[in-house]
Amino acid sequence: MSSKSKGKPKAEGSSANMAANGTDDANDLLTCCICLYAYDDVNRLPKLLPCHHSFCLDCLIQLARNQVKFDCPNCRRTVELEEAGDVSILQTNFYVTHMKELMTLKRKKKPRGCKRHSQPLTFFCIKCEIPVCQECTYAEHSAANGHSIQDLKNAVDEQRRTVEMEISEAQGTIMTNMSQSKYLDAEISNLFASKETTLAHIDKTFDTFIQYINRRRNKLKEQVNEIHRGRRDTMNRHLEDLKQQTSRLSNAVEQCETAVSIGSISDMVSTKTMMRNKRSETQKNTRKVRVGPNNIKFDQKQGEDRFFSCLQELGKVLCDSMLPSIVEIRPHPSVASIFARISMTLYSYNGDKIEQNANDECPVTVEVKDPEDYHIRNMVQYRGNGAYDITYRPQISGDHYLKVLFKGHPIKGGDYVVPVHSNNPVLKFGKKGEKACGEFMYPRAVCVDKKNCVYVVDTGNCCIQKFSHVGEFIFQFQIIKENDAYSGCGIAINHETNVLLCTEVCVDSADLSSAHSVLFYSMEGQLIHRISDPVNMKRGLCVAVNSIGHIIVADFENNFLLIYDKHGRLIKKIGQSGSAAGQFNHPTFVCVGQDDRIIVSDADNNRIQVFDKDGSYLYHFGSKGSGKGKFSQPFGVGADVHGNVLVVDSGNKRIQVFKQDGTYVSSIESLDDMLFAPRGIAITSDGHAWVADRDNHCIKKFRYM
């Protein structure tokens, strides 16, 4: 008895501590760990994340912030929502709400111990699964009676772990059911799309059949009309002949009657002979007209049996293939202006891959929109085993939004966000410096030779530097040796004669005045010729050469183009100051495109103008702005053999790609290595562009094809 009396107070103390701890744990369970407010049934409704952590609705709304994705505050796992900011769709944690109700009921009830012994319930009978007091462990719940006793605190912890495992498994089942519900919802939606498309197909098919029936009807009607015309014309001819014979005989009768009335014997004799001859002739020429069967009828029985027999078997409704209700998307790294690929696999609701026969039409189409909500053309190609490739060319960087459609209807759950990275330089060289090899001071123009070696007009250092196709310095030479106040601004290569052409400008003033000469250099940097035309050329900053060696100079100050022959004789002036078609407001760069078309950057008119090889205006494209196809101070312009035109959109710090007709293709934005006052551009034969990044004092290479 003494041992029992010593044990009771200890059990009572343990029970009190355990009860306190249990209450604290329960309170933690019923409280949002972010705001520390208790859950309720309205704004602080407990919501369950896929990672099985719960938070109140208000806190999750703040976390989502109208986004599709956010991270769990506990485990940092990414949570994806079907719609931006819509956290209400998340599963409510009914276990927490149930516990809240139980705790509320428990607080209303007075705590009670063992009814038989009036002692605290400090132990747990594993066999009976009920809490018991210490006296119970010696009596009906003793080990001798086959019962197993456990400390109540340990039992609570063990039961909690068991319940949590059950909750976790139940939540997993809930998530599985939610996924299955989403896929089944997609299946129902696709079934509707299949039904609507099939009905439309039936209508189209039978409309075609009706057209054939109408054609047959019209053909039969034409046959009736043709028979009628033929028979009618034949009988009309007979009728006309009969009328003419009758008329002639009637005239003869009238003559005879006149002779009889006069009574002259000679007249009667002559008229009698004439009458006899006329009557004989009429009887000879007049014969009874024979007509054939002229009753036109339509025999509807002809082919009727075969028609109705075929009609009963015309068309067949099938339901023998699976719907693509589950879409799996795997985007590959995408860069603006470069063709990109997205891998897609289609599954049925049962999880089977959707196979496609070689001649079958693709069961889905894809809609791709860029950040400016512009539809991007794409191609879906079957690769076998349920796999497809989606190919598209993003025009700009940023998140692109992909939607998969089945027969024109969006597949539920088939919406994806595909990131497109900025088109940054694949190579660059140079830094700010004076006179040293590979250093630049405001490089302004570039060109490439047949080996893709790069020539740079280093305007600030009054020299031209040559580099390999990978940016390795080769050599440099001064633009002129007599006066360091003169440098160059534009450069071109006559590939037929292997001659470098460079405009000569005075760099004493900031506006590059006195640019009225074009210098001719060998590819090794030897000055071999000069064209000076101070009468006509005032600020000829840039130069180009066409296929027959004609030299085209853009005069920034005079607002016109000058065309010289290969000997330096002025052939033609093109344009004048203004904003109308064919007029200029500070032309900057010029290049030659396909068919020797002359392409000019009309800087202050914020457009590109195109002329034919003889200088006749063709068209222009672009206007002031920052959107697609718009410009802010266009400078360098280049054309490739594929009909692409690349424009250095200096004010918008980007390069834009167009077709030669002015159709916008894409933008090279270089967001991770921004351009700063870019100027000249040169196109390589392998789909790259070199750009003179003037105020960054370097040359950058971009891939655009």
Side-chain angles (χ1 to χ4, degrees):
M1 291 296 294
S2 61
S3 62
K4 291 182 180 180
S5 62
K6 290 180 180 179
K8 288 181 180 180
K10 183 177 180 181
E12 292 171 358
S14 175
S15 175
N17 291 335
M18 183 188 65
N21 291 336
T23 302
D24 291 341
D25 291 340
N27 289 333
D28 290 342
L29 182 64
L30 302 178
T31 302
C32 175
C33 64
I34 297 179
C35 62
L36 302 181
Y37 283 102
Y39 293 122
D40 59 26
D41 297 330
V42 188
N43 295 332
R44 303 196 184 280
L45 192 67
K47 288 292 182 178
L48 186 66
L49 301 186
C51 55
H52 301 160
H53 293 119
S54 295
F55 306 96
C56 74
L57 181 61
D58 270 358
C59 290
L60 289 179
I61 291 174
Q62 296 298 320
L63 281 174
R65 296 174 186 169
N66 292 324
Q67 297 179 359
V68 179
K69 297 180 180 180
F70 66 92
D71 294 337
C72 171
N74 275 5
C75 64
R76 312 308 299 171
R77 178 177 174 182
T78 300
V79 179
E80 295 188 15
L81 302 174
E82 292 186 5
E83 296 183 10
D86 188 9
V87 297
S88 62
I89 199 172
L90 292 172
Q91 178 68 39
T92 301
N93 194 333
F94 293 108
Y95 170 75
V96 171
T97 58
H98 182 62
M99 288 294 295
K100 179 174 174 293
E101 293 175 358
L102 292 178
M103 291 294 294
T104 303
L105 292 174
K106 184 176 180 181
R107 291 190 185 101
K108 292 180 179 179
K109 295 180 180 180
K110 294 182 179 180
R112 293 184 297 177
C114 180
K115 293 181 179 180
R116 297 188 62 184
H117 305 109
S118 299
Q119 291 186 6
L121 302 173
T122 56
F123 296 97
F124 182 77
C125 178
I126 298 175
K127 179 180 179 181
C128 301
E129 291 189 331
I130 59 172
V132 295
C133 69
Q134 192 171 26
E135 288 290 342
C136 293
T137 63
Y138 303 134
E140 59 269 26
H141 296 282
S142 64
N145 293 329
H147 293 258
S148 179
I149 302 301
Q150 185 180 16
D151 183 82
L152 186 59
K153 184 178 183 304
N154 295 334
V156 170
D157 293 339
E158 184 176 321
Q159 292 296 321
R160 180 180 291 111
R161 286 192 296 271
T162 302
V163 173
E164 287 175 349
M165 289 178 59
E166 291 292 336
I167 292 172
S168 178
E169 291 180 3
Q171 289 172 341
T173 302
I174 290 171
M175 297 303 295
T176 300
N177 289 345
M178 289 176 65
S179 296
Q180 294 298 319
S181 297
K182 182 178 71 172
Y183 298 149
L184 191 57
D185 195 19
E187 182 83 4
I188 294 170
S189 177
N190 288 343
L191 180 62
F192 175 80
S194 177
K195 183 261 294 185
E196 291 296 306
T197 305
T198 303
L199 291 177
H201 188 193
I202 291 173
D203 285 341
K204 183 178 180 180
T205 301
F206 277 84
D207 285 344
T208 303
F209 294 154
I210 291 170
Q211 289 178 6
Y212 282 113
I213 291 174
N214 285 333
R215 289 177 189 173
R216 178 61 179 167
R217 173 170 57 185
N218 293 335
K219 187 174 182 179
L220 291 171
K221 285 183 175 181
E222 182 59 33
Q223 289 179 3
V224 170
N225 291 328
E226 186 176 349
I227 293 171
H228 170 260
R229 284 193 299 270
R231 301 298 174 89
R232 179 199 63 194
D233 291 346
T234 299
M235 288 187 289
N236 278 337
R237 285 194 299 271
H238 291 316
L239 179 61
E240 186 63 27
D241 290 342
L242 188 60
K243 286 181 178 180
Q244 290 178 1
Q245 295 293 335
T246 303
S247 177
R248 286 194 291 269
L249 190 58
S250 296
N251 291 334
V253 169
E254 289 178 1
Q255 292 179 13
C256 288
E257 287 176 345
T258 301
V260 170
S261 64
I262 294 175
S264 171
I265 187 65
S266 59
D267 289 340
M268 285 187 286
V269 170
S270 62
T271 56
K272 178 185 70 173
T273 303
M274 181 271 296
M275 185 66 191
R276 183 181 295 116
N277 292 336
K278 287 286 185 182
R279 181 174 54 78
S280 176
E281 180 184 354
T282 301
Q283 289 176 347
K284 180 180 178 180
N285 293 332
T286 304
R287 55 184 177 83
K288 186 176 181 180
V289 177
R290 297 184 63 85
V291 296
N294 286 333
N295 186 15
I296 304 173
K297 295 185 296 183
F298 174 63
D299 182 8
Q300 81 276 8
K301 295 295 183 180
Q302 180 68 32
E304 184 180 79
D305 293 340
R306 283 180 296 164
F307 173 76
F308 285 112
S309 176
C310 292
L311 192 62
Q312 296 300 320
E313 300 177 0
L314 187 61
K316 185 177 182 180
V317 177
L318 304 174
C319 192
D320 57 0
S321 58
M322 306 300 288
L323 293 171
S325 298
I326 304 174
V327 181
E328 181 183 278
I329 292 292
R330 297 181 303 281
H332 299 271
S334 303
V335 176
S337 192
I338 308 297
F339 276 98
R341 182 168 62 92
I342 299 172
S343 296
M344 175 176 68
T345 306
L346 302 178
Y347 299 89
S348 69
Y349 174 76
N350 299 329
D352 301 320
K353 292 181 178 179
I354 302 295
E355 299 287 350
Q356 178 184 332
N357 295 328
N359 298 324
D360 287 349
E361 184 181 356
C362 180
V364 299
T365 55
V366 175
E367 181 183 277
V368 180
K369 286 186 177 181
D370 68 11
E372 295 185 7
D373 204 34
Y374 182 83
H375 285 268
I376 304 299
R377 293 178 59 184
N378 63 86
M379 181 178 69
V380 181
Q381 188 173 7
Y382 184 57
R383 293 299 186 190
N385 197 28
Y388 296 79
D389 275 351
I390 305 166
T391 307
Y392 69 108
R393 187 177 187 179
Q395 296 179 340
I396 58 176
S397 60
D399 286 343
H400 283 55
Y401 303 92
L402 184 146
K403 180 180 293 184
V404 183
L405 303 97
F406 173 68
K407 297 187 176 181
H409 295 257
I411 297 179
K412 292 191 176 181
D415 297 294
Y416 296 87
V417 178
V418 179
V420 174
H421 303 288
S422 171
N423 192 326
N424 299 309
V426 296
L427 179 66
K428 71 176 181 178
F429 60 83
K431 62 180 180 179
K432 187 175 183 179
E434 299 183 10
K435 307 298 182 183
C437 302
E439 293 183 344
F440 302 114
M441 286 290 290
Y442 304 106
R444 194 178 188 278
V446 289
C447 68
V448 293
D449 61 18
K450 292 180 179 180
K451 295 181 179 180
N452 283 331
C453 290
V454 185
Y455 295 81
V456 181
V457 177
D458 186 4
T459 304
N461 286 323
C462 303
C463 69
I464 293 176
Q465 300 192 51
K466 180 179 179 180
F467 299 85
S468 71
H469 69 285
V470 292
E472 297 172 340
F473 176 82
I474 298 177
F475 69 82
Q476 69 176 21
F477 60 90
Q478 293 301 115
I479 290 177
I480 59 172
K481 297 182 179 179
E482 292 80 7
N483 192 336
D484 287 342
Y486 284 87
S487 184
C489 225
I491 191 170
I493 297 180
N494 187 333
H495 292 287
E496 296 300 321
T497 59
N498 284 329
V499 172
L500 282 170
L501 291 83
C502 177
T503 54
E504 181 188 51
V505 298
C506 177
V507 292
D508 270 348
S509 58
D511 59 358
L512 303 175
S513 63
S514 302
H516 51 69
S517 296
V518 177
L519 307 177
F520 293 68
Y521 292 95
S522 69
M523 302 303 286
E524 291 73 33
Q526 298 297 318
L527 181 63
I528 57 179
H529 185 51
R530 173 197 298 266
I531 295 176
S532 291
D533 188 6
V535 175
N536 295 298
M537 192 189 311
K538 187 174 182 181
R539 293 178 67 190
L541 300 185
C542 294
V543 63
V545 183
N546 67 13
S547 63
I548 58 175
H550 287 173
I551 302 159
I552 304 146
V553 178
D555 195 312
F556 184 84
E557 185 69 21
N558 286 327
N559 291 311
F560 54 55
L561 304 181
L562 298 167
I563 301 181
Y564 299 88
D565 66 14
K566 59 184 178 182
H567 302 294
R569 294 187 292 258
L570 180 63
I571 301 173
K572 182 178 292 188
K573 292 181 182 179
I574 303 172
Q576 59 182 344
S577 180
S579 58
Q583 298 178 344
F584 299 104
N585 188 0
H586 294 150
T588 51
F589 281 76
V590 60
C591 76
V592 175
Q594 291 180 331
D595 302 323
D596 275 347
R597 289 187 176 185
I598 303 170
I599 306 171
V600 189
S601 289
D602 190 5
D604 286 345
N605 281 327
N606 294 291
R607 64 186 180 183
I608 302 297
Q609 296 205 68
V610 182
F611 302 80
D612 68 13
K613 63 182 179 180
D614 299 319
S616 298
Y617 171 83
L618 295 176
Y619 55 88
H620 70 269
F621 57 89
S623 59
K624 185 173 179 58
S626 59
K628 296 177 180 178
K630 296 183 180 295
F631 300 113
S632 176
Q633 290 284 305
F635 273 80
V637 61
D640 65 15
V641 296
H642 305 289
N644 295 304
V645 176
L646 279 73
V647 181
V648 177
D649 187 9
S650 182
N652 288 319
K653 299 181 179 180
R654 64 186 178 184
I655 301 140
Q656 295 197 70
V657 184
F658 300 86
K659 292 297 183 184
Q660 187 164 274
D661 63 1
T663 302
Y664 173 83
V665 175
S666 61
S667 294
I668 301 173
E669 300 157 315
S670 191
L671 297 178
D672 297 329
D673 193 353
M674 293 288 290
L675 297 164
F676 189 16
R679 289 297 184 259
I681 188 171
I683 312 301
T684 68
S685 58
D686 59 355
H688 290 80
W690 290 100
V691 178
D693 194 359
R694 191 192 71 178
D695 288 6
N696 280 324
H697 309 283
C698 65
I699 307 299
K700 294 177 179 177
K701 184 180 184 181
F702 297 91
R703 179 183 170 213
Y704 72 95
M705 289 186 65

